[in-house]
Amino acid sequence: MLYRTVLIEPERLMKERLTRVIRNTPDFELSAWYAEPDEAIENAEKLKADLILVDIEEEKGLKGFDHLKRTFPKAAIICLSRQWDSEEQARLIRAGASGYMIKPFTGAELTEAVKTFTRIHTGGRSEVITFFSPKGKSGKTTLVSNLAVAMARKVNEPVAIIDADFQFGDQSVFLNLRPQSTITEAIRDIEFLSPVTLKPYFVKVSENLHVLCGASKPEQVDVVTIDKFTSLINMVKSLYGYVLIDMPSGFSDITATACELSTRTILMTMYNGGYEVVHMRRALDIFRAWDDYEKRVELLFTRLVPGKENQEKFSQLMGYPVKYIIPNAYNLVSESADNGRLAINEDENDPFSRAVLAMADALVAEK
């Protein structure tokens, strides 16, 4: 596809730099350049724009955005700035922008931005799902890896996993990946990144599934701060239709941040006798501080036989609805992992796989 591009950039030197990039990038044609949005709006009738790149640093640019969107309803609009701002990006996306880029940019970055932003925003808002367990050995990483693969098959939107275990992340092991960079490098560099330049930190599993792998060395946790972790999640939200965050067990400031930024939190444990219910109750009590916790917190038990009877029994024990039950599949999961594959790819008719597929269906339907 040839993108007929309109550039709105008030600074002459930046305009010259960006026009050269656009003209030298395959599949892009510079149709016009204007210093202000009003100039593009006045000439709308003679422009057949597929893509508008608009500077939003100037006050006039901000004021003119809504009018620009109404004037060019069929064009993708990507906003330009020298620095990434998650709050400003969120506001512009809500107003109808396709994306947000840092200028100056390269031709490769422009191509990737258009490909990424037009794809994700055909599906609407990003769904961020944090998986959290009050205690270890819950089957969380197993579930997240298999669930992400199942969801990526069902949707026409990109799906991402963030392995946010900064000391013992295992997503790369489960998915048989060899990352060149991990979450700690992404957080270290986040102040200098934009959504497009963050994307290479992810490892591609399939066309629809990318993974930001966990730290390779436990001591790298020192680079993590709440502000940087928040920026990371907000930036990833602009890249992917679904973001699954695999958090380490136990409460911390980082865990709380991930849950608060999420659309929903899956609070989960592996049932192994009864004390897990006590831990789940205590964890749920912490989430009750949210005004909307009943809409955003969902309970999941693993190592149980799925069915109405167990769902009702454990809902009664918790005093809160249990939404998902995933059965035990130790042999299948272990054998699959030993072979560098996922359980869901080995046997879709296994009870574990069926439960994961049903959960994927539910999450996709509820977006």
Side-chain angles (χ1 to χ4, degrees):
M1 175 180 176
L2 179 65
Y3 289 95
R4 292 167 294 190
T5 305
V6 173
L7 174 65
I8 302 174
E9 169 56 56
E11 294 185 11
R12 182 180 62 82
L13 292 178
M14 182 63 72
K15 181 269 291 188
E16 292 175 356
R17 184 171 181 175
L18 296 183
T19 55
R20 284 197 299 271
V21 171
I22 296 167
R23 286 171 174 157
N24 292 328
T25 302
D27 300 325
F28 289 85
E29 175 185 89
L30 182 63
S31 299
W33 163 77
Y34 301 103
E36 303 292 346
D38 288 347
E39 297 178 51
I41 292 168
E42 290 171 4
N43 292 279
E45 290 187 5
K46 67 180 183 181
L47 294 174
K48 295 181 179 180
D50 302 303
L51 174 66
I52 297 175
L53 303 176
V54 56
D55 169 81
I56 52 88
E57 291 185 327
E58 299 290 331
E59 186 176 355
K60 290 182 180 179
L62 292 171
K63 289 181 177 178
F65 179 80
D66 291 340
H67 193 186
L68 191 70
K69 180 63 180 175
R70 291 194 300 271
T71 306
F72 297 94
K74 295 183 179 180
I77 301 178
I78 295 179
C79 299
L80 307 179
S81 179
R82 284 187 175 83
Q83 187 173 359
W84 190 77
D85 184 323
S86 62
E87 292 183 2
E88 186 62 16
Q89 177 184 264
R91 186 189 74 79
L92 291 165
I93 294 297
R94 287 195 298 271
S98 296
Y100 191 107
M101 285 184 71
I102 304 303
K103 62 178 183 178
F105 48 78
T106 66
E109 289 171 351
L110 176 61
T111 300
E112 183 62 26
V114 171
K115 177 183 175 182
T116 298
F117 293 141
T118 55
R119 189 176 179 203
I120 181 175
H121 293 297
T122 57
R125 65 180 175 86
S126 179
E127 181 84 354
V128 182
I129 309 168
T130 293
F131 293 78
F132 170 70
S133 175
K135 300 283 284 186
K137 298 183 179 179
S138 63
K140 177 169 48 62
T141 299
T142 300
L143 174 64
V144 172
S145 56
N146 282 275
L147 182 64
V149 169
M151 292 176 69
R153 292 176 183 169
K154 294 177 180 293
V155 296
N156 190 32
E157 296 179 73
V159 177
I161 297 175
I162 298 178
D163 188 345
D165 191 329
F166 296 100
Q167 292 185 310
F168 302 104
D170 283 331
Q171 285 293 340
S172 59
V173 176
F174 272 75
L175 293 163
N176 198 25
L177 305 176
R178 298 181 181 275
Q180 296 299 309
S181 55
T182 70
I183 189 170
T184 49
E185 284 82 28
I187 286 180
R188 179 197 64 198
D189 302 339
I190 197 69
E191 295 175 4
F192 310 103
L193 299 175
S194 67
V196 173
T197 53
L198 170 64
K199 197 170 183 181
Y201 288 73
F202 284 75
V203 180
K204 182 178 178 180
V205 177
S206 66
E207 189 62 33
N208 251 18
L209 177 59
H210 297 173
V211 180
L212 183 58
C213 294
S216 57
K217 298 178 181 179
E219 61 268 22
Q220 292 177 328
V221 70
D222 292 340
V223 305
V224 181
T225 66
I226 292 174
D227 288 344
K228 289 184 176 183
F229 187 54
T230 298
S231 293
L232 174 72
I233 293 177
N234 286 331
M235 203 176 286
V236 174
K237 285 164 62 175
S238 70
L239 289 169
Y240 296 93
Y242 294 88
V243 181
L244 280 60
I245 306 178
D246 184 1
M247 294 300 305
S249 59
F251 279 100
S252 67
D253 291 342
I254 294 295
T255 299
T257 298
C259 293
E260 288 169 3
L261 292 172
S262 299
T263 313
R264 68 181 79 196
T265 294
I266 307 294
L267 178 58
M268 63 180 292
T269 191
M270 180 182 290
Y271 185 72
N272 194 31
Y275 65 91
E276 297 89 357
V277 173
V278 176
H279 295 311
M280 287 280 275
R281 283 178 186 156
R282 290 174 179 170
L284 183 59
D285 285 342
I286 295 174
F287 288 114
R288 290 184 196 274
W290 295 351
D291 292 337
D292 58 350
Y293 79 95
E294 292 178 317
K295 294 180 180 179
R296 294 175 55 202
V297 179
E298 299 172 352
L299 302 189
L300 182 151
F301 279 84
T302 62
R303 211 174 186 180
L304 286 174
V305 177
K308 185 176 180 181
E309 182 178 346
N310 269 334
Q311 205 155 1
E312 291 179 349
K313 174 184 175 181
F314 282 85
S315 295
Q316 187 174 5
L317 288 171
M318 288 295 303
Y320 192 86
V322 173
K323 187 161 185 180
Y324 305 106
I325 291 178
I326 306 294
N328 185 30
Y330 178 80
N331 290 335
L332 175 63
V333 170
S334 298
E335 291 175 5
S336 301
D338 289 343
N339 293 322
R341 295 191 289 269
L342 292 174
I344 198 170
N345 291 332
E346 293 294 280
D347 185 0
E348 289 192 0
N349 292 317
D350 181 87
F352 172 84
S353 299
R354 292 202 304 268
V356 170
L357 290 167
M359 185 175 179
D361 286 334
L363 291 172
V364 169
E366 292 170 6
K367 182 179 179 184

